[in-house]
């Protein structure tokens, strides 16, 4: 058996107000007068956080549009823009949710790797380390701050640039930054973490490493989303750590049915990751009976609306496209259903599931 020898984030700072240390953290990473580039979620344009970014010399803030999840074309354009303007940069700092952090990781890699980011969608295809990169989440749940991937929609597939060069060099976990997230968005992204835990803990690839992180993250999610009506700072603190631990859990295991099915939705319909996972989770009690029951309780207690009927007007060709994307996620299915997953999750069975969504 070959064990995965995985690369982790190099530096982590955690705590309310730790964002204020950013200038100090970046200082030793500056290379001459090459600037630091801050990718900031467009939500923060004109907001107080933008004025707290420690700009020096030629540093630049780029507000990134995350209305749609990151595309390879968007990554390539940003990397080209920076190369044209500065030649080289000292680093890329992503401040935002999973989409902004993924953009920062991908553009960092494309500053040093030739061609298009679409050439590197897959496993261990990236050739050279990128420029210095740091991630600063403003939404908790995806685990993008700790993962070795950056999920991109390309010309032919939605797949990450998975590599040892992908994890951040630094993350700044400051729960204060998640304070203003709208309740629905916070729930959808928070449920991404909850679903990571269920899929990891209930999967065939589970081991003590993944279990230790997964159980803790699950317990934090339960503390946060069950039995509490008013959201407090403590919830933000806990959800940020749940996201981190949930991400660490899947680093050594794998996600499962909700993610495999939701990738199809997102490829065809552009459904965003968090809400897409929730739409699927609502209908997969067959695979995760306890997790789905608890998920539904969380939805009800937090007064969240989960869309229904999103596939009702699709054509057979469109269903086929989603089924192809979903069945392509082989490790996810194997983790969820075992080595014989292809006999269990047939095209007909998956079609019936998509029909229900
Ligand atoms: P997101 O980054 O797509 O942001 C969702 C919305 O929330 C956006 O409108 C954004 O402007 C807004 N927002 C962000 N922070 C806010 C704040 N503090 N206050 C108010 N609004 C705020 O959402 P997400 O769920 O964090 O990330 C989803 C993305 O992450 C997808 O692109 C998905 O593919 C990716 N992802 C990556 C990994 C990985 O390991 N790399 C894992 C899971 C998901
Ligand atoms: Zn996820």
């Amino acid at each position: 058996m070959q064990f995965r020898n995985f690369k982790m984030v190099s530096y982590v700072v955690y705590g309310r107000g730790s964002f204020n240390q950013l200038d100090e953290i970046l200082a030793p990473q500056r290379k001459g007068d090459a600037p630091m580039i801050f990718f900031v979620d467009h939500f923060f344009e004109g907001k107080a956080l933008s004025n707290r970014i420690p700009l020096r010399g030629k540093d630049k803030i780029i507000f990134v549009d995350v209305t749609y999840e990151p595309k390879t074309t968007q990554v390539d354009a940003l990397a080209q823009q920076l190369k044209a303007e500065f030649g080289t940069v000292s680093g890329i700092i992503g401040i935002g949710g999973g989409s902004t952090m993924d953009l920062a990781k991908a553009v960092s890699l494309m500053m040093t790797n030739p061609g298009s980011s679409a050439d590197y969608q897959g496993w261990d295809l990236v050739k050279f380390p990128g420029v210095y990169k740091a991630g600063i989440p403003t939404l908790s749940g995806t685990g993008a701050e700790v993962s070795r991937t950056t999920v991109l929609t390309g010309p032919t597939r939605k797949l990450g640039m998975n590599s040892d060069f992908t994890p951040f060099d630094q993350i700044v976990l400051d729960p204060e930054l998640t304070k203003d997230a709208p309740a629905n968005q916070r729930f959808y992204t928070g449920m991404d973490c909850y679903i990571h835990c269920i899929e990891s803990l209930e999967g065939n690839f589970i081991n003590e490493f993944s279990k230790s992180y997964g159980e803790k993250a699950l317990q934090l999610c339960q503390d946060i989303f069950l039995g509490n009506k008013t959201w407090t700072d403590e919830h933000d603190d806990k959800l940020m750590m749940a996201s981190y631990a949930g991400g660490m859990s899947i680093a050594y295991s794998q996600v499962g049915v909700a993610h495999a099915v939701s990738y199809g939705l997102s490829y065809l319909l552009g459904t965003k990751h968090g809400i897409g996972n929730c739409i699927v989770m609502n209908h997969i009690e067959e695979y995760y009976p306890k997790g789905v029951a608890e998920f539904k309780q969380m939805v009800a207690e937090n007064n969240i609306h989960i869309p229904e009927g999103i596939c009702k007007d699709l054509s057979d060709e469109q269903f086929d496209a989603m089924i192809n994307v979903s069945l392509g996620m082989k490790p996810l299915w194997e983790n969820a259903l075992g080595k014989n997953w292809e006999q269990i999750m047939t095209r007909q069975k998956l079609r019936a599931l998509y029909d229900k969504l």
Side-chain angles (χ1 to χ4, degrees):
M1 168 150 188
Q2 182 67 32
F3 293 95
R4 191 179 308 151
N5 183 13
F6 75 85
K7 171 76 172 65
M8 290 170 49
V9 167
S10 314
Y11 286 90
V12 183
V13 56
Y14 171 81
R16 291 193 157 260
S18 56
F19 184 80
N20 295 331
Q21 273 169 240
L22 191 56
D23 191 28
E24 193 185 312
I25 288 170
L26 297 180
Q29 307 301 336
R30 294 180 177 278
K31 294 184 174 59
D33 67 348
M36 285 288 175
I37 307 299
F38 298 86
F39 286 180
V40 181
D41 188 310
H42 62 170
F43 168 81
F44 292 103
E45 191 157 10
K47 304 267 166 46
L49 182 67
S50 308
N51 299 322
R52 293 173 57 203
I53 294 172
L55 298 177
R56 306 224 161 230
K58 293 189 290 174
D59 286 5
K60 182 170 183 168
I61 296 178
I62 297 180
F63 289 103
V64 289
D65 185 347
V66 293
T67 312
Y68 304 103
E69 296 192 339
K71 295 186 176 64
T72 52
T73 47
Q74 188 183 10
V75 168
D76 295 349
L78 281 164
Q80 262 152 31
Q81 176 194 333
L82 292 177
K83 283 185 212 167
E85 192 171 345
F86 300 109
T88 180
V89 302
S90 285
I92 314 262
I93 319 301
I95 306 175
S99 297
T100 306
M101 288 192 283
D102 275 1
L103 275 174
K105 290 191 203 181
V107 173
S108 152
L109 295 172
M110 293 317 295
M111 292 304 289
T112 52
N113 284 276
S116 161
S117 50
D119 304 337
Y120 303 107
Q121 287 181 283
W123 279 268
D124 303 303
L125 302 172
V126 180
K127 293 188 184 76
F128 305 107
V131 299
Y132 175 84
K133 53 183 159 345
I136 308 181
T138 65
L139 262 183
S140 298
T142 63
E145 62 278 20
V146 288
S147 77
R148 82 189 285 278
T149 188
T150 157
V151 184
L152 302 177
T153 304
T156 55
R157 62 201 147 197
K158 182 175 180 192
L159 188 62
M161 295 165 79
N162 286 268
S163 83
D164 280 352
F165 300 125
T166 310
F168 283 117
D169 298 295
Q170 169 82 54
I171 55 176
V172 177
L173 303 178
D174 182 346
E176 221 170 68
L177 306 186
T178 62
K179 197 178 174 54
D180 297 324
N184 270 294
Q185 183 63 58
R186 188 171 63 198
F187 185 85
Y188 299 142
T189 303
M191 282 303 107
D192 189 20
C193 174
Y194 178 78
I195 295 168
H196 291 160
C197 297
I198 300 297
E199 292 180 325
S200 171
L201 293 167
E202 302 289 320
N204 290 300
F205 299 172
I206 193 65
N207 53 73
E208 287 304 329
F209 184 101
S210 292
K211 214 164 143 184
S212 309
Y213 286 105
E215 285 178 350
K216 185 65 202 181
L218 180 65
Q219 180 216 318
L220 288 167
C221 289
Q222 290 163 337
D223 281 1
I224 297 162
F225 291 111
L226 292 172
N228 292 295
K229 292 297 171 217
T230 344
W231 191 271
T232 64
D233 285 354
E234 198 187 331
H235 292 81
D236 281 324
D237 294 356
K238 285 184 172 173
L239 192 52
M240 193 160 270
M241 284 320 298
S243 176
Y244 178 92
M248 287 298 290
S249 180
I250 49 177
Y252 233 131
S253 60
Q254 188 47 276
V255 289
V257 179
H259 277 76
V261 176
S262 114
Y263 266 97
L265 294 178
S266 124
Y267 184 77
L268 185 78
L269 304 173
T271 315
K272 295 194 90 181
H273 188 84
I275 195 167
N277 283 343
C278 288
I279 291 169
V280 181
M281 193 66 175
N282 225 1
H283 293 280
I284 51 173
E285 41 279 279
E286 185 179 343
Y287 307 99
Y288 306 112
K290 247 180 81 200
V292 172
E294 190 168 70
F295 166 78
K296 289 185 172 172
Q297 194 183 340
M298 291 174 172
V299 171
E301 285 193 23
N302 292 275
N303 276 318
I304 302 292
H305 169 69
I306 307 289
E308 299 261 4
I310 64 164
C311 295
K312 65 177 189 308
D313 297 324
L314 299 183
S315 65
D316 286 344
E317 289 72 35
Q318 288 177 309
F319 277 108
D320 276 339
M322 290 195 295
I323 292 168
N324 291 341
V325 169
S326 179
L327 292 180
M329 312 301 288
K330 294 185 169 55
L332 283 64
W333 289 112
E334 191 181 331
N335 178 43
L337 305 176
K339 284 221 175 307
N340 297 326
W341 65 269
E342 278 164 306
Q343 269 105 60
I344 302 166
M345 188 46 73
T346 58
R347 294 186 75 89
Q348 294 77 353
K349 182 125 197 204
L350 188 51
R351 168 68 193 255
L353 176 51
Y354 275 121
D355 271 325
K356 279 201 272 183
L357 306 179

